[in-house]
């Protein structure tokens, strides 16, 4: 399917446009729609009621979604092993694009800056996916050739009823794990001689620090608005929503740049 950006018949309001992008199943079309939405300077209505007209999120028939333990080994010894790793990263970025779009449309009555922030995230995640998909094609594969898991979107879905839980458990928990995971993955790819993939991960790590910072900032804002203590509330939400247990090693320098306080870093398991 050829990419088709937003047209004159697409919604002229930002949140409605984000929902239209989210519902689009074709990855190339979704990427093009997100880029067009980001360039369009659309009006924003924080109160307009919205409802999906299809399955959320829109995604292609492939990759097959399986439990994480069945995704397969990603050995760097073979070209296929490297392709499996790049595919796994592309799948993460495709889901991250969807989660940013969902954060944009789903939660009303927030400051305009909230929507501007998540529009930026959606645009950058779409760029990450497009870069990884292009490199995957260089390796002789395409998105959908290998299975993927749905752990990231499962938490997005579980937190659909509360923007506070969403900010706590998606950007500042699951996405923050990427800050820890990217440097060793980058080292493996560089050691295997795939410097193009390593360079893509440098861009992703740079941008993901900003994405996690956005989650941290809006989580703090929402805690202030509701009169909640930040760390105790996070612990309660992680327990209530069964967030995954965090395991090190942690990229403390990146986490600091993403807005975690020293007290929050001290809460991480040793």
């Amino acid at each position: 399917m050829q990419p088709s950006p937003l047209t004159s018949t697409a919604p002229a309001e930002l949140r409605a446009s984000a929902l239209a992008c989210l519902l689009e199943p074709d990855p190339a079309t979704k990427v093009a729609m997100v880029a067009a939405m980001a360039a369009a300077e659309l009006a924003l209505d924080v109160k307009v009621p919205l409802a999906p007209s299809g399955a959320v999120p829109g995604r292609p028939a492939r990759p097959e979604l399986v439990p994480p333990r069945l995704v397969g080994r990603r050995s760097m010894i073979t070209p296929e092993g490297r392709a499996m790793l790049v595919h796994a990263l592309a799948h993460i970025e495709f889901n991250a694009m969807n989660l940013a779009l969902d954060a944009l449309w789903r939660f009303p009555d927030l400051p305009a800056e909230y929507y501007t922030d998540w529009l930026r995230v959606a645009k950058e995640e779409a760029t990450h996916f497009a870069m990884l998909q292009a490199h995957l094609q260089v390796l002789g594969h395409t998105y959908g050739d290998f299975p993927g898991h749905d752990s990231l979107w499962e938490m997005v879905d579980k937190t659909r009823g509360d923007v506070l839980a969403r900010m706590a458990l998606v950007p500042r928990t699951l996405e923050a794990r990427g800050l820890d995971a990217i440097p060793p993955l980058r080292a493996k790819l560089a050691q295997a001689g795939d410097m193009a993939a390593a360079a893509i991960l440098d861009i992703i790590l740079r941008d993901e620090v900003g994405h996690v910072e956005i989650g941290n900032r809006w989580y703090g804002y929402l805690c202030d608005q509701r009169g909640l203590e930040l760390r105790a509330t996070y612990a309660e939400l992680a327990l209530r929503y069964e967030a995954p247990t965090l395991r090190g090693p942690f990229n403390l320098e990146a986490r600091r740049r993403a807005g975690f306080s020293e007290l929050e870093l001290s809460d991480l398991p040793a």
Side-chain angles (χ1 to χ4, degrees):
M1 183 182 297
Q2 291 297 315
S4 57
L6 291 172
T7 67
S8 59
T9 60
E13 190 277 324
L14 178 60
R15 291 176 55 232
S17 295
L19 179 54
C21 293
L22 181 63
L23 294 175
E24 170 57 48
D26 179 70
T29 305
K30 190 190 294 276
V31 167
M33 289 176 69
V34 169
M37 177 179 66
E41 298 185 1
L42 299 173
L44 172 64
D45 186 339
V46 302
K47 296 187 179 297
V48 62
L50 297 172
S53 59
V56 175
R59 50 185 159 195
R62 300 172 64 234
E64 176 189 7
L65 298 178
V66 299
R69 61 187 172 79
L70 299 180
V71 169
R73 295 176 62 84
R74 300 163 195 157
S75 169
M76 296 295 99
I77 297 174
T78 66
E80 183 177 56
R82 292 194 293 277
M84 287 178 69
L85 175 56
V86 173
H87 185 277
L89 293 167
H91 183 62
I92 290 170
E93 296 304 312
F94 184 77
N95 277 290
M97 174 172 47
N98 281 333
L99 79 84
L101 293 169
D102 195 79
L104 250 176
W105 84 265
R106 185 175 294 277
F107 302 110
D109 297 319
L110 288 162
E113 293 79 6
Y114 168 89
Y115 304 99
T116 302
D117 280 342
W118 285 103
L119 177 61
R120 168 193 155 192
V121 176
K123 180 182 177 182
E124 291 177 353
E125 302 290 21
T127 300
H128 299 166
F129 172 79
M131 289 190 298
L132 289 165
Q133 164 68 332
H135 189 60
L136 196 56
Q137 291 174 336
V138 171
L139 298 175
H141 292 274
T142 193
Y143 181 57
D145 282 358
F146 304 104
H149 65 79
D150 210 24
S151 298
L152 179 58
W153 187 261
E154 287 170 0
M155 185 58 76
V156 173
D157 188 55
K158 284 166 68 173
T159 57
R160 66 187 183 276
D162 184 1
V163 65
L164 177 69
R166 174 68 62 84
M167 294 299 107
L169 301 177
V170 178
R172 71 192 309 271
T173 299
L174 296 184
E175 289 198 277
R177 293 172 75 181
L179 304 181
D180 309 320
I182 289 174
L185 292 177
R186 191 235 187 250
K188 287 182 180 180
L189 287 164
Q191 187 175 20
D194 194 339
M195 299 310 298
I200 293 171
L201 286 187
D202 288 338
I203 294 169
I204 292 175
L205 179 59
R206 178 200 68 197
D207 292 346
E208 291 298 335
V209 168
H211 302 173
V212 176
E213 188 278 330
I214 286 170
N216 268 322
R217 180 156 33 86
W218 287 107
Y219 174 70
Y221 168 86
L222 291 160
C223 283
D224 287 344
Q225 291 292 107
R226 300 185 191 185
L228 300 171
E229 198 281 321
L230 189 147
R231 290 163 66 212
T233 299
Y234 176 79
E236 191 276 325
L237 290 169
L239 182 64
R240 187 197 316 171
Y241 287 89
E242 299 178 325
T245 302
L246 298 180
R247 294 182 175 86
F250 299 103
N251 187 344
L252 296 180
E253 189 274 333
R255 284 175 174 264
R256 287 187 181 97
R257 287 191 286 121
F260 287 100
S261 70
E262 292 302 317
L263 282 175
E264 288 176 293
L265 294 178
S266 72
D267 291 333
L268 294 170

